[in-house]
PDB file of all heavy atoms in Angstrom:
ATOM      1  N   SER A 937       0.849  -1.169   0.046  1.00  0.00           N
ATOM      2  CA  SER A 937      -0.009   0.025   0.060  1.00  0.00           C
ATOM      3  C   SER A 937       0.873   1.241  -0.050  1.00  0.00           C
ATOM      4  O   SER A 937       0.439   2.293   0.536  1.00  0.00           O
ATOM      5  CB  SER A 937      -0.894  -0.010   1.194  1.00  0.00           C
ATOM      6  OG  SER A 937      -0.218  -0.087   2.436  1.00  0.00           O
ATOM      7  N   LEU A 938       1.925   1.154  -0.676  1.00  0.00           N
ATOM      8  CA  LEU A 938       2.979   2.336  -0.562  1.00  0.00           C
ATOM      9  C   LEU A 938       2.532   3.425  -1.371  1.00  0.00           C
ATOM     10  O   LEU A 938       2.764   4.583  -1.079  1.00  0.00           O
ATOM     11  CB  LEU A 938       4.362   1.853  -1.098  1.00  0.00           C
ATOM     12  CG  LEU A 938       5.285   0.921  -0.232  1.00  0.00           C
ATOM     13  CD1 LEU A 938       6.480   0.525  -0.966  1.00  0.00           C
ATOM     14  CD2 LEU A 938       5.474   1.531   1.118  1.00  0.00           C
ATOM     15  N   ILE A 939       1.809   3.276  -2.508  1.00  0.00           N
ATOM     16  CA  ILE A 939       1.407   4.358  -3.320  1.00  0.00           C
ATOM     17  C   ILE A 939      -0.276   4.519  -3.325  1.00  0.00           C
ATOM     18  O   ILE A 939      -0.864   3.586  -3.940  1.00  0.00           O
ATOM     19  CB  ILE A 939       1.858   4.111  -4.784  1.00  0.00           C
ATOM     20  CG1 ILE A 939       3.409   3.837  -4.770  1.00  0.00           C
ATOM     21  CG2 ILE A 939       1.595   5.255  -5.755  1.00  0.00           C
ATOM     22  CD1 ILE A 939       3.848   3.418  -6.218  1.00  0.00           C
ATOM     23  N   PRO A 940      -0.726   5.538  -2.789  1.00  0.00           N
ATOM     24  CA  PRO A 940      -2.194   5.550  -2.741  1.00  0.00           C
ATOM     25  C   PRO A 940      -2.914   5.539  -4.142  1.00  0.00           C
ATOM     26  O   PRO A 940      -2.410   6.225  -5.100  1.00  0.00           O
ATOM     27  CB  PRO A 940      -2.466   6.967  -2.182  1.00  0.00           C
ATOM     28  CG  PRO A 940      -1.233   7.266  -1.264  1.00  0.00           C
ATOM     29  CD  PRO A 940      -0.050   6.516  -2.095  1.00  0.00           C
ATOM     30  N   GLY A 941      -3.844   4.728  -4.246  1.00  0.00           N
ATOM     31  CA  GLY A 941      -4.634   4.537  -5.510  1.00  0.00           C
ATOM     32  C   GLY A 941      -3.871   3.626  -6.515  1.00  0.00           C
ATOM     33  O   GLY A 941      -4.505   3.211  -7.489  1.00  0.00           O
ATOM     34  N   HIS A 942      -2.712   3.231  -6.254  1.00  0.00           N
ATOM     35  CA  HIS A 942      -1.878   2.361  -7.196  1.00  0.00           C
ATOM     36  C   HIS A 942      -1.460   1.033  -6.528  1.00  0.00           C
ATOM     37  O   HIS A 942      -1.107   0.161  -7.215  1.00  0.00           O
ATOM     38  CB  HIS A 942      -0.684   3.093  -7.703  1.00  0.00           C
ATOM     39  CG  HIS A 942      -0.966   4.302  -8.540  1.00  0.00           C
ATOM     40  ND1 HIS A 942      -1.106   4.238  -9.947  1.00  0.00           N
ATOM     41  CD2 HIS A 942      -1.257   5.543  -8.277  1.00  0.00           C
ATOM     42  CE1 HIS A 942      -1.524   5.454 -10.412  1.00  0.00           C
ATOM     43  NE2 HIS A 942      -1.407   6.262  -9.454  1.00  0.00           N
ATOM     44  N   GLY A 943      -1.515   0.952  -5.270  1.00  0.00           N
ATOM     45  CA  GLY A 943      -0.988  -0.264  -4.553  1.00  0.00           C
ATOM     46  C   GLY A 943       0.431  -0.037  -4.209  1.00  0.00           C
ATOM     47  O   GLY A 943       0.786   0.868  -3.529  1.00  0.00           O
ATOM     48  N   GLY A 944       1.341  -0.938  -4.696  1.00  0.00           N
ATOM     49  CA  GLY A 944       2.698  -0.912  -4.451  1.00  0.00           C
ATOM     50  C   GLY A 944       3.477  -0.588  -5.588  1.00  0.00           C
ATOM     51  O   GLY A 944       3.068  -0.438  -6.705  1.00  0.00           O
ATOM     52  N   LEU A 945       4.790  -0.626  -5.435  1.00  0.00           N
ATOM     53  CA  LEU A 945       5.822  -0.430  -6.480  1.00  0.00           C
ATOM     54  C   LEU A 945       5.604  -1.387  -7.633  1.00  0.00           C
ATOM     55  O   LEU A 945       5.737  -1.075  -8.784  1.00  0.00           O
ATOM     56  CB  LEU A 945       7.195  -0.452  -5.950  1.00  0.00           C
ATOM     57  CG  LEU A 945       7.581   0.668  -4.971  1.00  0.00           C
ATOM     58  CD1 LEU A 945       8.981   0.500  -4.336  1.00  0.00           C
ATOM     59  CD2 LEU A 945       7.611   2.138  -5.628  1.00  0.00           C
ATOM     60  N   LEU A 946       5.420  -2.760  -7.305  1.00  0.00           N
ATOM     61  CA  LEU A 946       5.223  -3.760  -8.279  1.00  0.00           C
ATOM     62  C   LEU A 946       4.011  -3.521  -9.101  1.00  0.00           C
ATOM     63  O   LEU A 946       3.942  -3.752 -10.294  1.00  0.00           O
ATOM     64  CB  LEU A 946       5.236  -5.074  -7.614  1.00  0.00           C
ATOM     65  CG  LEU A 946       6.575  -5.873  -7.280  1.00  0.00           C
ATOM     66  CD1 LEU A 946       6.307  -7.100  -6.505  1.00  0.00           C
ATOM     67  CD2 LEU A 946       7.276  -6.215  -8.593  1.00  0.00           C
ATOM     68  N   ASP A 947       2.889  -3.091  -8.357  1.00  0.00           N
ATOM     69  CA  ASP A 947       1.702  -2.788  -9.112  1.00  0.00           C
ATOM     70  C   ASP A 947       1.867  -1.560 -10.154  1.00  0.00           C
ATOM     71  O   ASP A 947       1.261  -1.630 -11.172  1.00  0.00           O
ATOM     72  CB  ASP A 947       0.542  -2.382  -8.070  1.00  0.00           C
ATOM     73  CG  ASP A 947       0.307  -3.430  -7.121  1.00  0.00           C
ATOM     74  OD1 ASP A 947       0.131  -4.652  -7.551  1.00  0.00           O
ATOM     75  OD2 ASP A 947       0.125  -3.190  -5.952  1.00  0.00           O
ATOM     76  N   ARG A 948       2.550  -0.600  -9.737  1.00  0.00           N
ATOM     77  CA  ARG A 948       2.801   0.540 -10.546  1.00  0.00           C
ATOM     78  C   ARG A 948       3.892   0.348 -11.614  1.00  0.00           C
ATOM     79  O   ARG A 948       3.596   0.794 -12.764  1.00  0.00           O
ATOM     80  CB  ARG A 948       3.225   1.768  -9.750  1.00  0.00           C
ATOM     81  CG  ARG A 948       3.461   3.080 -10.419  1.00  0.00           C
ATOM     82  CD  ARG A 948       2.288   3.565 -11.024  1.00  0.00           C
ATOM     83  NE  ARG A 948       1.942   2.977 -12.347  1.00  0.00           N
ATOM     84  CZ  ARG A 948       0.831   2.917 -12.948  1.00  0.00           C
ATOM     85  NH1 ARG A 948      -0.238   3.426 -12.319  1.00  0.00           N
ATOM     86  NH2 ARG A 948       0.700   2.400 -14.139  1.00  0.00           N
ATOM     87  N   PHE A 949       4.776  -0.475 -11.388  1.00  0.00           N
ATOM     88  CA  PHE A 949       5.942  -0.539 -12.436  1.00  0.00           C
ATOM     89  C   PHE A 949       6.079  -1.907 -13.080  1.00  0.00           C
ATOM     90  O   PHE A 949       6.967  -2.329 -13.609  1.00  0.00           O
ATOM     91  CB  PHE A 949       7.228  -0.165 -11.730  1.00  0.00           C
ATOM     92  CG  PHE A 949       7.325   1.156 -11.211  1.00  0.00           C
ATOM     93  CD1 PHE A 949       7.589   1.423  -9.832  1.00  0.00           C
ATOM     94  CD2 PHE A 949       7.033   2.232 -11.904  1.00  0.00           C
ATOM     95  CE1 PHE A 949       7.675   2.594  -9.295  1.00  0.00           C
ATOM     96  CE2 PHE A 949       7.089   3.555 -11.391  1.00  0.00           C
ATOM     97  CZ  PHE A 949       7.402   3.759 -10.100  1.00  0.00           C
ATOM     98  N   ASP A 950       5.002  -2.770 -12.810  1.00  0.00           N
ATOM     99  CA  ASP A 950       5.003  -4.112 -13.509  1.00  0.00           C
ATOM    100  C   ASP A 950       5.073  -3.947 -15.033  1.00  0.00           C
ATOM    101  O   ASP A 950       5.782  -4.672 -15.717  1.00  0.00           O
ATOM    102  CB  ASP A 950       3.810  -4.918 -13.140  1.00  0.00           C
ATOM    103  CG  ASP A 950       2.450  -4.206 -13.238  1.00  0.00           C
ATOM    104  OD1 ASP A 950       2.505  -2.955 -13.674  1.00  0.00           O
ATOM    105  OD2 ASP A 950       1.456  -4.723 -12.814  1.00  0.00           O
ATOM    106  N   GLY A 951       4.374  -3.011 -15.577  1.00  0.00           N
ATOM    107  CA  GLY A 951       4.364  -2.816 -16.988  1.00  0.00           C
ATOM    108  C   GLY A 951       5.792  -2.325 -17.416  1.00  0.00           C
ATOM    109  O   GLY A 951       6.350  -2.695 -18.526  1.00  0.00           O
ATOM    110  N   MET A 952       6.434  -1.521 -16.612  1.00  0.00           N
ATOM    111  CA  MET A 952       7.762  -1.067 -16.935  1.00  0.00           C
ATOM    112  C   MET A 952       8.812  -2.213 -17.010  1.00  0.00           C
ATOM    113  O   MET A 952       9.647  -2.157 -17.779  1.00  0.00           O
ATOM    114  CB  MET A 952       8.212  -0.040 -15.987  1.00  0.00           C
ATOM    115  CG  MET A 952       9.349   0.899 -16.440  1.00  0.00           C
ATOM    116  SD  MET A 952       8.648   2.046 -17.657  1.00  0.00           S
ATOM    117  CE  MET A 952       7.544   3.077 -16.741  1.00  0.00           C
ATOM    118  N   LEU A 953       8.639  -3.263 -16.195  1.00  0.00           N
ATOM    119  CA  LEU A 953       9.419  -4.335 -16.357  1.00  0.00           C
ATOM    120  C   LEU A 953       9.388  -4.960 -17.637  1.00  0.00           C
ATOM    121  O   LEU A 953      10.466  -5.265 -18.296  1.00  0.00           O
ATOM    122  CB  LEU A 953       9.138  -5.375 -15.238  1.00  0.00           C
ATOM    123  CG  LEU A 953       9.258  -5.021 -13.683  1.00  0.00           C
ATOM    124  CD1 LEU A 953       8.896  -6.186 -12.882  1.00  0.00           C
ATOM    125  CD2 LEU A 953      10.698  -4.479 -13.454  1.00  0.00           C
ATOM    126  N   GLY A 954       8.158  -5.311 -18.183  1.00  0.00           N
ATOM    127  CA  GLY A 954       8.039  -5.936 -19.386  1.00  0.00           C
ATOM    128  C   GLY A 954       8.536  -5.096 -20.530  1.00  0.00           C
ATOM    129  O   GLY A 954       9.242  -5.594 -21.447  1.00  0.00           O
ATOM    130  N   GLY A 955       8.164  -3.800 -20.583  1.00  0.00           N
ATOM    131  CA  GLY A 955       8.549  -2.878 -21.632  1.00  0.00           C
ATOM    132  C   GLY A 955      10.025  -2.735 -21.615  1.00  0.00           C
ATOM    133  O   GLY A 955      10.770  -2.682 -22.718  1.00  0.00           O
ATOM    134  N   ALA A 956      10.726  -2.520 -20.554  1.00  0.00           N
ATOM    135  CA  ALA A 956      12.178  -2.242 -20.414  1.00  0.00           C
ATOM    136  C   ALA A 956      12.954  -3.511 -20.902  1.00  0.00           C
ATOM    137  O   ALA A 956      13.969  -3.322 -21.686  1.00  0.00           O
ATOM    138  CB  ALA A 956      12.581  -1.846 -19.108  1.00  0.00           C
ATOM    139  N   VAL A 957      12.639  -4.672 -20.428  1.00  0.00           N
ATOM    140  CA  VAL A 957      13.314  -5.863 -20.665  1.00  0.00           C
ATOM    141  C   VAL A 957      13.238  -6.175 -22.107  1.00  0.00           C
ATOM    142  O   VAL A 957      14.189  -6.512 -22.942  1.00  0.00           O
ATOM    143  CB  VAL A 957      12.890  -7.065 -19.950  1.00  0.00           C
ATOM    144  CG1 VAL A 957      13.496  -8.350 -20.412  1.00  0.00           C
ATOM    145  CG2 VAL A 957      13.283  -6.737 -18.392  1.00  0.00           C
ATOM    146  N   PHE A 958      11.978  -5.967 -22.735  1.00  0.00           N
ATOM    147  CA  PHE A 958      11.653  -6.205 -24.199  1.00  0.00           C
ATOM    148  C   PHE A 958      12.614  -5.254 -24.927  1.00  0.00           C
ATOM    149  O   PHE A 958      13.260  -5.644 -25.932  1.00  0.00           O
ATOM    150  CB  PHE A 958      10.294  -5.933 -24.453  1.00  0.00           C
ATOM    151  CG  PHE A 958      10.032  -6.031 -25.932  1.00  0.00           C
ATOM    152  CD1 PHE A 958       9.904  -7.221 -26.663  1.00  0.00           C
ATOM    153  CD2 PHE A 958       9.803  -4.897 -26.734  1.00  0.00           C
ATOM    154  CE1 PHE A 958       9.652  -7.294 -28.024  1.00  0.00           C
ATOM    155  CE2 PHE A 958       9.560  -4.969 -28.104  1.00  0.00           C
ATOM    156  CZ  PHE A 958       9.462  -6.117 -28.638  1.00  0.00           C
ATOM    157  N   LEU A 959      12.731  -4.024 -24.665  1.00  0.00           N
ATOM    158  CA  LEU A 959      13.523  -3.082 -25.423  1.00  0.00           C
ATOM    159  C   LEU A 959      14.879  -3.375 -25.291  1.00  0.00           C
ATOM    160  O   LEU A 959      15.773  -3.186 -26.223  1.00  0.00           O
ATOM    161  CB  LEU A 959      13.215  -1.624 -24.824  1.00  0.00           C
ATOM    162  CG  LEU A 959      13.891  -0.507 -25.681  1.00  0.00           C
ATOM    163  CD1 LEU A 959      13.404  -0.401 -27.081  1.00  0.00           C
ATOM    164  CD2 LEU A 959      13.738   0.875 -24.922  1.00  0.00           C
ATOM    165  N   LEU A 960      15.346  -3.758 -24.085  1.00  0.00           N
ATOM    166  CA  LEU A 960      16.762  -4.190 -23.917  1.00  0.00           C
ATOM    167  C   LEU A 960      17.118  -5.362 -24.858  1.00  0.00           C
ATOM    168  O   LEU A 960      18.252  -5.370 -25.436  1.00  0.00           O
ATOM    169  CB  LEU A 960      16.939  -4.571 -22.409  1.00  0.00           C
ATOM    170  CG  LEU A 960      18.476  -4.660 -22.034  1.00  0.00           C
ATOM    171  CD1 LEU A 960      19.171  -3.342 -21.950  1.00  0.00           C
ATOM    172  CD2 LEU A 960      18.506  -5.179 -20.618  1.00  0.00           C
ATOM    173  N   LEU A 961      16.209  -6.180 -25.026  1.00  0.00           N
ATOM    174  CA  LEU A 961      16.413  -7.481 -25.864  1.00  0.00           C
ATOM    175  C   LEU A 961      16.435  -7.062 -27.270  1.00  0.00           C
ATOM    176  O   LEU A 961      17.406  -7.611 -28.049  1.00  0.00           O
ATOM    177  CB  LEU A 961      15.411  -8.520 -25.551  1.00  0.00           C
ATOM    178  CG  LEU A 961      15.562  -9.212 -24.215  1.00  0.00           C
ATOM    179  CD1 LEU A 961      14.335 -10.112 -23.988  1.00  0.00           C
ATOM    180  CD2 LEU A 961      16.774 -10.017 -24.018  1.00  0.00           C
ATOM    181  N   VAL A 962      15.535  -6.335 -27.807  1.00  0.00           N
ATOM    182  CA  VAL A 962      15.284  -6.057 -29.266  1.00  0.00           C
ATOM    183  C   VAL A 962      16.006  -4.757 -29.714  1.00  0.00           C
ATOM    184  O   VAL A 962      16.194  -4.605 -30.942  1.00  0.00           O
ATOM    185  CB  VAL A 962      13.803  -6.109 -29.561  1.00  0.00           C
ATOM    186  CG1 VAL A 962      13.177  -7.343 -29.128  1.00  0.00           C
ATOM    187  CG2 VAL A 962      13.157  -4.935 -29.100  1.00  0.00           C
ATOM    188  N   GLY A 963      16.298  -3.942 -28.900  1.00  0.00           N
ATOM    189  CA  GLY A 963      16.902  -2.612 -29.173  1.00  0.00           C
ATOM    190  C   GLY A 963      18.054  -2.708 -30.169  1.00  0.00           C
ATOM    191  O   GLY A 963      18.067  -1.897 -31.172  1.00  0.00           O
ATOM    192  N   PRO A 964      18.953  -3.498 -29.982  1.00  0.00           N
ATOM    193  CA  PRO A 964      20.187  -3.483 -30.964  1.00  0.00           C
ATOM    194  C   PRO A 964      19.859  -3.947 -32.371  1.00  0.00           C
ATOM    195  O   PRO A 964      20.461  -3.556 -33.270  1.00  0.00           O
ATOM    196  CB  PRO A 964      21.140  -4.555 -30.289  1.00  0.00           C
ATOM    197  CG  PRO A 964      20.822  -4.605 -28.833  1.00  0.00           C
ATOM    198  CD  PRO A 964      19.284  -4.294 -28.760  1.00  0.00           C
ATOM    199  N   TRP A 965      18.613  -4.564 -32.427  1.00  0.00           N
ATOM    200  CA  TRP A 965      18.205  -5.080 -33.780  1.00  0.00           C
ATOM    201  C   TRP A 965      17.004  -4.217 -34.354  1.00  0.00           C
ATOM    202  O   TRP A 965      16.562  -4.602 -35.405  1.00  0.00           O
ATOM    203  CB  TRP A 965      17.893  -6.492 -33.724  1.00  0.00           C
ATOM    204  CG  TRP A 965      19.063  -7.337 -33.343  1.00  0.00           C
ATOM    205  CD1 TRP A 965      20.092  -7.786 -34.029  1.00  0.00           C
ATOM    206  CD2 TRP A 965      19.455  -7.798 -32.027  1.00  0.00           C
ATOM    207  NE1 TRP A 965      21.015  -8.489 -33.380  1.00  0.00           N
ATOM    208  CE2 TRP A 965      20.530  -8.594 -32.241  1.00  0.00           C
ATOM    209  CE3 TRP A 965      18.795  -7.671 -30.786  1.00  0.00           C
ATOM    210  CZ2 TRP A 965      21.218  -9.056 -31.023  1.00  0.00           C
ATOM    211  CZ3 TRP A 965      19.417  -8.227 -29.723  1.00  0.00           C
ATOM    212  CH2 TRP A 965      20.610  -8.904 -29.775  1.00  0.00           C
ATOM    213  N   ALA A 966      16.522  -3.324 -33.556  1.00  0.00           N
ATOM    214  CA  ALA A 966      15.320  -2.696 -33.945  1.00  0.00           C
ATOM    215  C   ALA A 966      15.540  -1.383 -34.653  1.00  0.00           C
ATOM    216  O   ALA A 966      14.593  -0.746 -35.126  1.00  0.00           O
ATOM    217  CB  ALA A 966      14.461  -2.529 -32.713  1.00  0.00           C
ATOM    218  N   GLY A 967      16.733  -1.041 -34.962  1.00  0.00           N
ATOM    219  CA  GLY A 967      17.034   0.243 -35.605  1.00  0.00           C
ATOM    220  C   GLY A 967      16.688   1.441 -34.867  1.00  0.00           C
ATOM    221  O   GLY A 967      15.963   2.323 -35.457  1.00  0.00           O
ATOM    222  N   LEU A 968      16.882   1.431 -33.537  1.00  0.00           N
ATOM    223  CA  LEU A 968      16.342   2.564 -32.686  1.00  0.00           C
ATOM    224  C   LEU A 968      16.922   3.884 -33.226  1.00  0.00           C
ATOM    225  O   LEU A 968      18.218   3.956 -33.331  1.00  0.00           O
ATOM    226  CB  LEU A 968      16.776   2.399 -31.193  1.00  0.00           C
ATOM    227  CG  LEU A 968      16.284   1.156 -30.548  1.00  0.00           C
ATOM    228  CD1 LEU A 968      16.586   1.037 -29.161  1.00  0.00           C
ATOM    229  CD2 LEU A 968      14.658   1.123 -30.691  1.00  0.00           C
ATOM    230  N   PRO A 969      16.155   4.889 -33.400  1.00  0.00           N
ATOM    231  CA  PRO A 969      16.702   6.168 -33.907  1.00  0.00           C
ATOM    232  C   PRO A 969      17.203   7.041 -32.681  1.00  0.00           C
ATOM    233  O   PRO A 969      16.735   8.170 -32.385  1.00  0.00           O
ATOM    234  CB  PRO A 969      15.363   6.845 -34.444  1.00  0.00           C
ATOM    235  CG  PRO A 969      14.265   6.286 -33.590  1.00  0.00           C
ATOM    236  CD  PRO A 969      14.729   4.832 -33.268  1.00  0.00           C
ATOM    237  N   VAL A 970      18.224   6.431 -31.941  1.00  0.00           N
ATOM    238  CA  VAL A 970      18.665   7.149 -30.762  1.00  0.00           C
ATOM    239  C   VAL A 970      19.236   8.490 -30.944  1.00  0.00           C
ATOM    240  O   VAL A 970      18.875   9.479 -30.250  1.00  0.00           O
ATOM    241  CB  VAL A 970      19.749   6.252 -30.085  1.00  0.00           C
ATOM    242  CG1 VAL A 970      20.415   6.889 -28.881  1.00  0.00           C
ATOM    243  CG2 VAL A 970      19.193   4.960 -29.597  1.00  0.00           C
TER     244      VAL A 970
END
């Protein structure tokens, strides 16, 4: 109950885990316009 309305850190940043790890895996081959 750390974050009012959101639950905890895992509840708030669970999507960030999936997105960040995916980008880390495919980034070098995705032609990122860095």
Side-chain angles (χ1 to χ4, degrees):
S937 57
L938 289 176
I939 309 174
H942 294 270
L945 295 170
L946 275 171
D947 298 315
R948 180 62 277 161
F949 301 124
D950 50 4
M952 203 67 68
L953 297 182
V957 172
F958 174 78
L959 186 65
L960 194 64
L961 291 174
V962 307
W965 298 277
L968 298 181
V970 173

